[in-house]
Amino acid sequence: MTSHSFIDRRSFLVGAGAAGLAATSASAQDKYPTRPITLIVPFAAGGSTDIVARLVGQKMSELLGQNVVIENRSGAGGNVGSTAVARAAPDGYTLLLGTISTHALNPAILKTVTFDAVKDFTPISLLAIVPNVMVVNPSFPAKTVKEVLQVLKDNPGKYSYASSGVGTPLHLSGELFKSIGNVQMNHVPYRGAGPALNDVVAGAVPIMFDNLPSSAGFIRNGQLRAIGVTTRERVASFPDVPTIAEGGLTGYETYTWNALFGPANLPRPIVERINQAANQALKDETVKKRLNDVSADIVGSTPEQLGEHVKTELAKWGPIAKASGAVVE
């Protein structure tokens, strides 16, 4: 056999092998999903991100024909769970429910950056934008923003507020309130909104800035008092609750959002399959009603729209996060 014929044969075998792998890969993508999908929520159970994940994930399970298993992997303001997805195989079986924390705030405040919010993820769909709310334990001696400000000014450093962790939107909501209102409060960070909320309901910490979905039930049953929502406008599910800006802090506005991401280099057919299922789930009447009940503003987007949204949020919140001085280990 000549050298030339050996090279030709080897080239043919390599080419045939590559073609076979490509065909196998394409076939796997066409059949996706063939086993359960893990949707990592990078915060503790009970918070608004967890609520959105479970509502949308359950419907996606029906649409995809495979279980979407919610896994709460909290720590470092969402960094632990996000890093796990960034390092996962890009096969569509490990997804992330990302937030403003994981993709806009953490890049500015992480002491050690373990992922790139743009390069290490594949955007899939922006699911919902969620208002925050300032709540207090009913024993707290104030019912309005102005009354809260007065109590804090009369008692500098006496009161504390809880949040879902250092550098989270809820932490920065509190810092912005302190800055604009020129008041003092001690920050008590927790490993997620759920545990923080439990302590505020129990009266261990009097004040909290929370995502409205996770506080809604406690507000309705009287276990928490809503002082004001953090968005620019009032929300439909609590029309009697004023905005914090209305209450006296002009220009005050914060919010969060929930979006689906996969690891970088997720094949386009899989991205489109997940995007279709997620956006279809958001149109389900039961899902819509449940999300509307907790004041989540349903979006549903293309992967490209989510990608642009992340870049815009990074540019907006990065300077604010750095100015807060917050550092996540």
Side-chain angles (χ1 to χ4, degrees), residues 4 10 22-23 29 41 58 84 119 126 138-139 170 216 234 245 249-250 253 258 279 283 306-307 310:
H4 176 72
R10 183 175 64 180
Q29 293 173 28
V41 174
Q58 182 178 1
K119 296 178 181 178
L126 177 61
S139 64
L170 307 183
R234 295 191 185 199
L249 292 189
T250 304
E253 181 188 13
N258 298 124
N279 289 349
K283 294 177 182 177
L306 174 56
V310 169

Side-chain angles (χ1 to χ4, degrees), residues 317-328:
W317 288 102
I320 297 173
K322 287 181 179 177
S324 74
V327 176
V328 176

